[in-house]
Amino acid sequence: MSGKPTGKVERQARLRWVPLSKVRVNPLAQREINEARVDKLASDFDPEQFGTPTVNMRGEHFYVIDGQHRIEALRRWFGDGQWENQQIQCWTYEGMSESEEAEAFLKLNDTLAVVALAKFRVSVQAGRPEESDVDRIVRAQGLRVTRDKGDGAIGAVGTLMRIYRRADGVTLGRTLRIIRDAYGDPGLEAPVIDGIGLLCQRYNGELEDKRAVERLSGVHGGVNGLLGRAETLRKQTGNARNHCVAAAAVDIINAGRGGKKLPSWWKE
């Protein structure tokens, strides 16, 4: 016996007509709206190509799980004063929590090219352990995961997750503190985070954070000075950029008098 059910295989969701005026978006369980995509869908609107969005009925409203760009495009296609009286056919769940909506979004989009940052945000809302811990670590440093610029913003979620999985949460937190204190916002970019992450991982017991911050912040050109040295090493050695950033950081930290010298990156 295969253990598979016999007879009908039915979805939990049901097709129903949903008033557009009652459709809402849970920003914690959805990617940020792409205005260009909405405009394109609205200008090329074709009911036969529209597909069937997925929503969850929670209270008196229907929260979008999949299809927010199509729904917004439909509203624009009808125009203000018209779309409020329209209905749309949707696959409809009932009674899901916000975290369950987020988890459903992830499952529905698992095979699609979902932007890493959007998927990270939804994973946090869904309560996935790794993403939630990374988000906690970032916030503990007074930083935030967002595609915005400035004010402690970090958009390189793939790099954050790589350091977390390659080393651990303590290493990630230490990495972000050193970069924050040495360079501020200009340093919160993927190549720098990845390279300093490697540095913290390898020299765990030897690296003095205060000395590292003093040396890195004092280099001519700031973070661009670090990246410039790393690029020179990359051309000379042919090694990966993140390793060259780590090697350049070691050279900068070892420069000058005083303090314990770190072993060369390349001789490790």
Side-chain angles (χ1 to χ4, degrees), residues 15-33:
L15 277 173
R16 64 174 292 175
W17 288 98
V18 174
L20 275 177
S21 60
K22 291 191 175 183
V23 175
R24 299 287 186 273
V25 172
N26 173 7
L28 297 179
Q30 285 290 304
R31 71 192 82 177
E32 294 179 30
I33 198 78

PDB file of all heavy atoms in Angstrom, residues 15-33:
ATOM      1  N   LEU A  15     -12.234  28.118  -4.036  1.00  0.00           N
ATOM      2  CA  LEU A  15     -12.440  29.232  -4.951  1.00  0.00           C
ATOM      3  C   LEU A  15     -13.681  30.005  -4.532  1.00  0.00           C
ATOM      4  O   LEU A  15     -14.740  29.413  -4.302  1.00  0.00           O
ATOM      5  CB  LEU A  15     -12.617  28.710  -6.383  1.00  0.00           C
ATOM      6  CG  LEU A  15     -11.352  28.405  -7.170  1.00  0.00           C
ATOM      7  CD1 LEU A  15     -11.714  27.749  -8.495  1.00  0.00           C
ATOM      8  CD2 LEU A  15     -10.533  29.677  -7.406  1.00  0.00           C
ATOM      9  N   ARG A  16     -13.527  31.316  -4.419  1.00  0.00           N
ATOM     10  CA  ARG A  16     -14.690  32.138  -4.089  1.00  0.00           C
ATOM     11  C   ARG A  16     -14.476  33.541  -4.654  1.00  0.00           C
ATOM     12  O   ARG A  16     -13.354  33.957  -4.938  1.00  0.00           O
ATOM     13  CB  ARG A  16     -14.933  32.195  -2.580  1.00  0.00           C
ATOM     14  CG  ARG A  16     -13.842  32.841  -1.774  1.00  0.00           C
ATOM     15  CD  ARG A  16     -14.257  32.982  -0.305  1.00  0.00           C
ATOM     16  NE  ARG A  16     -15.339  33.950  -0.132  1.00  0.00           N
ATOM     17  CZ  ARG A  16     -15.945  34.183   1.023  1.00  0.00           C
ATOM     18  NH1 ARG A  16     -15.604  33.508   2.109  1.00  0.00           N
ATOM     19  NH2 ARG A  16     -16.917  35.077   1.100  1.00  0.00           N
ATOM     20  N   TRP A  17     -15.575  34.245  -4.818  1.00  0.00           N
ATOM     21  CA  TRP A  17     -15.512  35.623  -5.298  1.00  0.00           C
ATOM     22  C   TRP A  17     -15.254  36.535  -4.108  1.00  0.00           C
ATOM     23  O   TRP A  17     -15.957  36.495  -3.104  1.00  0.00           O
ATOM     24  CB  TRP A  17     -16.797  36.011  -6.011  1.00  0.00           C
ATOM     25  CG  TRP A  17     -16.935  35.339  -7.338  1.00  0.00           C
ATOM     26  CD1 TRP A  17     -17.646  34.211  -7.632  1.00  0.00           C
ATOM     27  CD2 TRP A  17     -16.301  35.753  -8.553  1.00  0.00           C
ATOM     28  NE1 TRP A  17     -17.493  33.885  -8.952  1.00  0.00           N
ATOM     29  CE2 TRP A  17     -16.683  34.811  -9.554  1.00  0.00           C
ATOM     30  CE3 TRP A  17     -15.460  36.801  -8.905  1.00  0.00           C
ATOM     31  CZ2 TRP A  17     -16.251  34.904 -10.869  1.00  0.00           C
ATOM     32  CZ3 TRP A  17     -15.026  36.902 -10.217  1.00  0.00           C
ATOM     33  CH2 TRP A  17     -15.425  35.956 -11.181  1.00  0.00           C
ATOM     34  N   VAL A  18     -14.238  37.352  -4.234  1.00  0.00           N
ATOM     35  CA  VAL A  18     -13.791  38.210  -3.131  1.00  0.00           C
ATOM     36  C   VAL A  18     -13.926  39.679  -3.542  1.00  0.00           C
ATOM     37  O   VAL A  18     -13.417  40.082  -4.599  1.00  0.00           O
ATOM     38  CB  VAL A  18     -12.315  37.915  -2.787  1.00  0.00           C
ATOM     39  CG1 VAL A  18     -11.795  38.904  -1.750  1.00  0.00           C
ATOM     40  CG2 VAL A  18     -12.167  36.475  -2.290  1.00  0.00           C
ATOM     41  N   PRO A  19     -14.590  40.512  -2.727  1.00  0.00           N
ATOM     42  CA  PRO A  19     -14.694  41.944  -3.044  1.00  0.00           C
ATOM     43  C   PRO A  19     -13.314  42.609  -2.966  1.00  0.00           C
ATOM     44  O   PRO A  19     -12.609  42.463  -1.957  1.00  0.00           O
ATOM     45  CB  PRO A  19     -15.620  42.481  -1.947  1.00  0.00           C
ATOM     46  CG  PRO A  19     -16.314  41.276  -1.390  1.00  0.00           C
ATOM     47  CD  PRO A  19     -15.347  40.149  -1.525  1.00  0.00           C
ATOM     48  N   LEU A  20     -12.939  43.316  -4.000  1.00  0.00           N
ATOM     49  CA  LEU A  20     -11.644  43.987  -3.998  1.00  0.00           C
ATOM     50  C   LEU A  20     -11.527  44.981  -2.840  1.00  0.00           C
ATOM     51  O   LEU A  20     -10.433  45.226  -2.325  1.00  0.00           O
ATOM     52  CB  LEU A  20     -11.427  44.721  -5.317  1.00  0.00           C
ATOM     53  CG  LEU A  20     -10.847  43.905  -6.478  1.00  0.00           C
ATOM     54  CD1 LEU A  20     -10.770  44.762  -7.722  1.00  0.00           C
ATOM     55  CD2 LEU A  20      -9.479  43.357  -6.118  1.00  0.00           C
ATOM     56  N   SER A  21     -12.640  45.553  -2.434  1.00  0.00           N
ATOM     57  CA  SER A  21     -12.617  46.546  -1.356  1.00  0.00           C
ATOM     58  C   SER A  21     -12.225  45.931  -0.016  1.00  0.00           C
ATOM     59  O   SER A  21     -11.845  46.650   0.912  1.00  0.00           O
ATOM     60  CB  SER A  21     -13.989  47.218  -1.226  1.00  0.00           C
ATOM     61  OG  SER A  21     -14.989  46.258  -0.924  1.00  0.00           O
ATOM     62  N   LYS A  22     -12.315  44.614   0.096  1.00  0.00           N
ATOM     63  CA  LYS A  22     -11.987  43.947   1.354  1.00  0.00           C
ATOM     64  C   LYS A  22     -10.634  43.236   1.325  1.00  0.00           C
ATOM     65  O   LYS A  22     -10.269  42.558   2.273  1.00  0.00           O
ATOM     66  CB  LYS A  22     -13.093  42.939   1.716  1.00  0.00           C
ATOM     67  CG  LYS A  22     -14.411  43.603   2.101  1.00  0.00           C
ATOM     68  CD  LYS A  22     -15.378  42.601   2.694  1.00  0.00           C
ATOM     69  CE  LYS A  22     -16.641  43.301   3.193  1.00  0.00           C
ATOM     70  NZ  LYS A  22     -17.579  42.349   3.837  1.00  0.00           N
ATOM     71  N   VAL A  23      -9.899  43.402   0.225  1.00  0.00           N
ATOM     72  CA  VAL A  23      -8.577  42.775   0.115  1.00  0.00           C
ATOM     73  C   VAL A  23      -7.542  43.667   0.787  1.00  0.00           C
ATOM     74  O   VAL A  23      -7.502  44.867   0.566  1.00  0.00           O
ATOM     75  CB  VAL A  23      -8.204  42.526  -1.359  1.00  0.00           C
ATOM     76  CG1 VAL A  23      -6.773  41.999  -1.461  1.00  0.00           C
ATOM     77  CG2 VAL A  23      -9.173  41.532  -1.979  1.00  0.00           C
ATOM     78  N   ARG A  24      -6.716  43.053   1.626  1.00  0.00           N
ATOM     79  CA  ARG A  24      -5.676  43.784   2.338  1.00  0.00           C
ATOM     80  C   ARG A  24      -4.327  43.074   2.130  1.00  0.00           C
ATOM     81  O   ARG A  24      -4.275  41.909   1.777  1.00  0.00           O
ATOM     82  CB  ARG A  24      -5.969  43.840   3.843  1.00  0.00           C
ATOM     83  CG  ARG A  24      -7.273  44.539   4.184  1.00  0.00           C
ATOM     84  CD  ARG A  24      -7.178  46.034   3.993  1.00  0.00           C
ATOM     85  NE  ARG A  24      -8.369  46.731   4.443  1.00  0.00           N
ATOM     86  CZ  ARG A  24      -9.445  46.949   3.709  1.00  0.00           C
ATOM     87  NH1 ARG A  24      -9.494  46.502   2.457  1.00  0.00           N
ATOM     88  NH2 ARG A  24     -10.482  47.609   4.191  1.00  0.00           N
ATOM     89  N   VAL A  25      -3.242  43.809   2.373  1.00  0.00           N
ATOM     90  CA  VAL A  25      -1.896  43.249   2.291  1.00  0.00           C
ATOM     91  C   VAL A  25      -1.260  43.309   3.670  1.00  0.00           C
ATOM     92  O   VAL A  25      -1.210  44.376   4.288  1.00  0.00           O
ATOM     93  CB  VAL A  25      -1.016  44.008   1.272  1.00  0.00           C
ATOM     94  CG1 VAL A  25       0.433  43.526   1.346  1.00  0.00           C
ATOM     95  CG2 VAL A  25      -1.551  43.817  -0.136  1.00  0.00           C
ATOM     96  N   ASN A  26      -0.790  42.172   4.150  1.00  0.00           N
ATOM     97  CA  ASN A  26      -0.026  42.117   5.393  1.00  0.00           C
ATOM     98  C   ASN A  26       1.433  42.369   5.030  1.00  0.00           C
ATOM     99  O   ASN A  26       2.091  41.502   4.466  1.00  0.00           O
ATOM    100  CB  ASN A  26      -0.194  40.744   6.053  1.00  0.00           C
ATOM    101  CG  ASN A  26       0.719  40.561   7.255  1.00  0.00           C
ATOM    102  OD1 ASN A  26       1.400  41.486   7.687  1.00  0.00           O
ATOM    103  ND2 ASN A  26       0.747  39.352   7.788  1.00  0.00           N
ATOM    104  N   PRO A  27       1.990  43.557   5.325  1.00  0.00           N
ATOM    105  CA  PRO A  27       3.347  43.890   4.872  1.00  0.00           C
ATOM    106  C   PRO A  27       4.420  42.985   5.447  1.00  0.00           C
ATOM    107  O   PRO A  27       5.501  42.865   4.882  1.00  0.00           O
ATOM    108  CB  PRO A  27       3.527  45.340   5.347  1.00  0.00           C
ATOM    109  CG  PRO A  27       2.560  45.492   6.468  1.00  0.00           C
ATOM    110  CD  PRO A  27       1.384  44.636   6.114  1.00  0.00           C
ATOM    111  N   LEU A  28       4.131  42.315   6.560  1.00  0.00           N
ATOM    112  CA  LEU A  28       5.112  41.423   7.164  1.00  0.00           C
ATOM    113  C   LEU A  28       5.128  40.055   6.500  1.00  0.00           C
ATOM    114  O   LEU A  28       6.032  39.261   6.723  1.00  0.00           O
ATOM    115  CB  LEU A  28       4.826  41.264   8.661  1.00  0.00           C
ATOM    116  CG  LEU A  28       4.931  42.547   9.488  1.00  0.00           C
ATOM    117  CD1 LEU A  28       4.596  42.268  10.933  1.00  0.00           C
ATOM    118  CD2 LEU A  28       6.326  43.142   9.376  1.00  0.00           C
ATOM    119  N   ALA A  29       4.119  39.778   5.689  1.00  0.00           N
ATOM    120  CA  ALA A  29       4.038  38.468   5.035  1.00  0.00           C
ATOM    121  C   ALA A  29       4.094  38.595   3.522  1.00  0.00           C
ATOM    122  O   ALA A  29       3.728  37.678   2.810  1.00  0.00           O
ATOM    123  CB  ALA A  29       2.746  37.755   5.451  1.00  0.00           C
ATOM    124  N   GLN A  30       4.539  39.762   3.045  1.00  0.00           N
ATOM    125  CA  GLN A  30       4.621  39.978   1.602  1.00  0.00           C
ATOM    126  C   GLN A  30       5.901  40.736   1.270  1.00  0.00           C
ATOM    127  O   GLN A  30       6.417  41.502   2.087  1.00  0.00           O
ATOM    128  CB  GLN A  30       3.429  40.799   1.110  1.00  0.00           C
ATOM    129  CG  GLN A  30       2.141  40.003   1.040  1.00  0.00           C
ATOM    130  CD  GLN A  30       2.151  38.975  -0.074  1.00  0.00           C
ATOM    131  OE1 GLN A  30       2.360  39.293  -1.231  1.00  0.00           O
ATOM    132  NE2 GLN A  30       1.942  37.719   0.286  1.00  0.00           N
ATOM    133  N   ARG A  31       6.388  40.535   0.054  1.00  0.00           N
ATOM    134  CA  ARG A  31       7.501  41.342  -0.427  1.00  0.00           C
ATOM    135  C   ARG A  31       7.029  42.775  -0.651  1.00  0.00           C
ATOM    136  O   ARG A  31       5.832  43.039  -0.744  1.00  0.00           O
ATOM    137  CB  ARG A  31       8.041  40.755  -1.737  1.00  0.00           C
ATOM    138  CG  ARG A  31       7.098  40.939  -2.915  1.00  0.00           C
ATOM    139  CD  ARG A  31       7.494  40.110  -4.107  1.00  0.00           C
ATOM    140  NE  ARG A  31       7.006  38.750  -3.964  1.00  0.00           N
ATOM    141  CZ  ARG A  31       7.170  37.803  -4.906  1.00  0.00           C
ATOM    142  NH1 ARG A  31       7.826  38.077  -5.996  1.00  0.00           N
ATOM    143  NH2 ARG A  31       6.706  36.598  -4.723  1.00  0.00           N
ATOM    144  N   GLU A  32       7.980  43.727  -0.727  1.00  0.00           N
ATOM    145  CA  GLU A  32       7.613  45.115  -0.987  1.00  0.00           C
ATOM    146  C   GLU A  32       7.086  45.246  -2.414  1.00  0.00           C
ATOM    147  O   GLU A  32       7.527  44.551  -3.325  1.00  0.00           O
ATOM    148  CB  GLU A  32       8.830  46.019  -0.782  1.00  0.00           C
ATOM    149  CG  GLU A  32       9.301  46.048   0.665  1.00  0.00           C
ATOM    150  CD  GLU A  32      10.519  46.932   0.850  1.00  0.00           C
ATOM    151  OE1 GLU A  32      10.670  47.904   0.095  1.00  0.00           O
ATOM    152  OE2 GLU A  32      11.317  46.628   1.743  1.00  0.00           O
ATOM    153  N   ILE A  33       6.125  46.153  -2.594  1.00  0.00           N
ATOM    154  CA  ILE A  33       5.493  46.324  -3.900  1.00  0.00           C
ATOM    155  C   ILE A  33       6.495  46.876  -4.909  1.00  0.00           C
ATOM    156  O   ILE A  33       7.295  47.752  -4.596  1.00  0.00           O
ATOM    157  CB  ILE A  33       4.265  47.258  -3.799  1.00  0.00           C
ATOM    158  CG1 ILE A  33       3.346  47.096  -5.015  1.00  0.00           C
ATOM    159  CG2 ILE A  33       4.684  48.689  -3.580  1.00  0.00           C
ATOM    160  CD1 ILE A  33       2.493  45.887  -4.977  1.00  0.00           C
TER     161      ILE A  33
END
